[in-house]
Amino acid sequence: MATQTVAQQRAEARRHYDAYVAECPTRQLLDRIANKWVSLLINALADGPQRYGDLSRRVAGISQKMLTQTLRVMERDGLVERTITAAVPVRVDYELTELGASLLPVMRTIKGWAETHMDQVLTAREDYDAQR
């Protein structure tokens, strides 16, 4: 068997990503993008860069701790870019990267589907609960 370089090993692994395999790293990514806060923040950043406080007001119910954690993991995954502008006070803006923006059509569709079909889901829940 021929020895592979690290780059070749990574390329080989990428050809075999399969989310149905327990050890596949795509599971972590799916978990991340399925997170409600990630989904809402991607949609909130669709219109361009926003400051931390603006995001906090836009995404109702998110705590400061959760907003900070979520933005950090999104930055780590390459979905969001953080820009610091020297000013008094310091200005910090967040915006979607090209990779993050590529998720927008999917996230908008899911958000729209949820908003459109919520009444049906609530009815189904009530019917299910009534039968139990």
Side-chain angles (χ1 to χ4, degrees), residues 1-16:
M1 179 185 242
T3 304
Q4 292 183 324
T5 66
V6 172
Q8 289 170 327
Q9 289 172 354
R10 284 190 193 124
E12 180 72 18
R14 277 195 295 276
R15 283 195 292 273
H16 298 291

Side-chain angles (χ1 to χ4, degrees), residues 42-114:
I42 286 173
N43 280 295
L45 289 166
D47 297 329
Q50 292 192 43
R51 296 179 75 175
Y52 182 95
D54 296 331
L55 289 170
S56 181
R57 284 186 291 281
R58 180 108 189 253
V59 181
I62 191 168
S63 67
Q64 286 185 329
K65 178 181 177 182
M66 188 53 63
L67 178 57
T68 299
Q69 287 177 349
T70 304
L71 288 167
R72 281 184 186 153
V73 296
M74 290 174 70
E75 185 178 10
R76 181 174 185 249
D77 287 345
L79 304 176
V80 168
E81 183 175 48
R82 181 174 175 249
T83 304
I84 301 171
T85 305
V88 178
V90 173
R91 181 183 173 104
V92 180
D93 291 289
Y94 294 88
E95 67 181 308
L96 293 175
T97 62
E98 187 175 328
L99 182 62
S102 72
L103 273 172
L104 267 173
V106 175
M107 295 303 192
R108 281 181 173 155
T109 300
I110 292 171
K111 178 180 171 284
W113 183 92

Side-chain angles (χ1 to χ4, degrees), residues 10 28 32-33 35-37 40 44 69 77 87 96 101-103 109 111 114 117 126-128:
R10 284 190 193 124
Q28 292 174 339
R32 175 92 67 236
I33 61 177
N35 176 285
K36 70 178 174 183
W37 300 124
L40 291 169
Q69 287 177 349
D77 287 345
L96 293 175
S102 72
L103 273 172
T109 300
K111 178 180 171 284
H117 293 91
E126 290 171 6
D127 292 348
Y128 180 88

